[in-house]
Amino acid sequence: MKLLALPAFSDNYIWLLHDKGRAVVVDPGQAQPVLDALAREQLQLEAILVTHHHDDHVGGVQALREHTGASVYGPARERMPEPLTRLQGGDRVQALGLDFEVIDVPGHTAGHIAYFCRVANDMAPMLFCGDTLFSGGCGRLFEGTPAQMLASLDALAALPGATQVCCAHEYTLANLRFALAVEPDNGDLIRYAALCGDKRSKNLSTLPSNMALELKINPFLRTRCADVIAAAERFDPSARGPSGHLAALRQWKNQF
Ligand code: ZN
Ligand code: FE
């Protein structure tokens, strides 16, 4: 089983998983990077998994379906390119002999879903979380509330620490600059920011991350930590409770 991050647009990743000549892609905002990879690796596309309705995640779906005949899966409650199998939390998708578990993660969009793949003997579990969780950050709240995003992030945070976090954008450095403003004394964060800076200077991807690391460095997963609470309340003195602190962090990041 191989996992590839195909760059698309300026900072998207289309995740491609393949084994024995068959492939699955997640959030193909563009068809061409996927068609190129399929040709290069001589793969048959079996399934297309989509996390939410934004164009940079679905733009390549129709062309890929026409070229490959792949089945399309996506969120039950969003406007999507038809036809597709509509999914919600608790549903499962089988592809490449793997089992993908669907998790509802509203917040960035109202019907956003994530895909968690627990079993793959030769690799760590994988999470395809679209624009909900980024390394060092989270998605903007376009359609959901801070409380929804908090519950979504809590559900993801409960996954095994070894889980590979496959986010849909290379936003890591900008996120870490903000995270360091929130927690300037977090040693894990300082070390990770240096490591990621080094990777990006060599034009390497910072992803996938993993959940154990995100719990140590991502302020949006740390809204119950004293230093993060204190920083959120410096930005918005009226912020109370984990979702209030998350709302304050999100607002602060939007104008950072
Ligand atoms: Zn999006
Ligand atoms: Fe996006």
Side-chain angles (χ1 to χ4, degrees):
M1 192 69 59
K2 286 222 170 70
L3 177 64
L4 304 175
L6 309 177
F9 304 107
S10 59
D11 55 24
N12 282 68
Y13 290 122
I14 301 168
W15 291 93
L16 185 151
L17 199 54
H18 71 92
D19 188 36
K20 303 188 185 93
R22 294 181 306 155
V24 168
V25 287
V26 185
D27 285 352
Q30 289 178 309
Q32 202 56 52
V34 178
L35 293 170
D36 292 346
L38 295 174
R40 190 174 63 235
E41 314 268 341
Q42 302 203 311
L43 304 170
Q44 178 76 43
L45 188 62
E46 182 175 319
I48 298 169
L49 310 181
V50 177
T51 62
H52 68 293
H53 69 84
H54 286 158
D55 269 354
D56 64 312
H57 300 252
V58 303
V61 167
Q62 294 296 33
L64 285 175
R65 187 209 313 273
E66 282 161 25
H67 277 87
T68 67
S71 313
V72 182
Y73 300 86
R77 287 182 291 273
E78 301 208 340
R79 199 203 329 207
M80 297 292 299
E82 302 280 350
L84 82 161
T85 302
R86 293 186 171 273
L87 304 167
Q88 55 188 327
D91 287 345
R92 290 167 179 277
V93 178
Q94 270 75 39
L96 304 183
L98 299 175
D99 187 48
F100 296 82
E101 212 175 302
V102 177
I103 306 171
D104 280 322
V105 287
H108 176 68
T109 62
H112 200 305
I113 59 175
Y115 299 87
F116 176 63
C117 182
R118 193 182 296 274
V119 192
N121 357 352
D122 56 340
M123 63 200 298
M126 289 165 283
L127 171 68
F128 300 98
C129 47
D131 289 354
T132 297
L133 176 64
F134 296 122
S135 186
C138 75
R140 282 177 188 257
L141 300 179
F142 287 123
E143 300 173 11
T145 63
Q148 282 179 316
M149 184 55 110
L150 178 72
S152 297
L153 293 175
D154 282 347
L156 301 183
L159 296 174
T163 301
Q164 305 182 75
V165 178
C166 303
C167 324
H169 290 271
E170 179 64 65
Y171 287 162
T172 310
L173 289 192
N175 285 338
L176 295 180
R177 276 192 291 277
F178 174 72
L180 282 166
V182 177
E183 288 190 280
D185 302 323
N186 180 333
D188 293 309
L189 176 56
I190 292 165
R191 280 187 293 277
Y192 181 57
L195 181 78
C196 290
D198 191 52
K199 281 186 179 168
R200 292 308 293 151
S201 72
K202 295 171 183 149
N203 214 14
L204 299 173
S205 171
T206 61
L207 301 171
S209 174
N210 69 74
M211 196 57 75
L213 173 68
E214 291 304 316
L215 292 174
K216 292 184 201 164
I217 62 95
N218 190 327
F220 295 92
L221 296 177
R222 296 169 58 76
T223 49
R224 295 165 184 94
C225 300
D227 286 359
V228 175
I229 292 172
E233 291 186 1
R234 276 195 299 276
F235 176 79
D236 177 2
S238 71
R240 290 292 175 273
S243 68
H245 295 129
L246 185 130
L249 289 180
R250 192 55 262 181
Q251 238 195 318
W252 180 9
K253 172 69 166 62
N254 290 352
Q255 63 186 64
F256 187 71

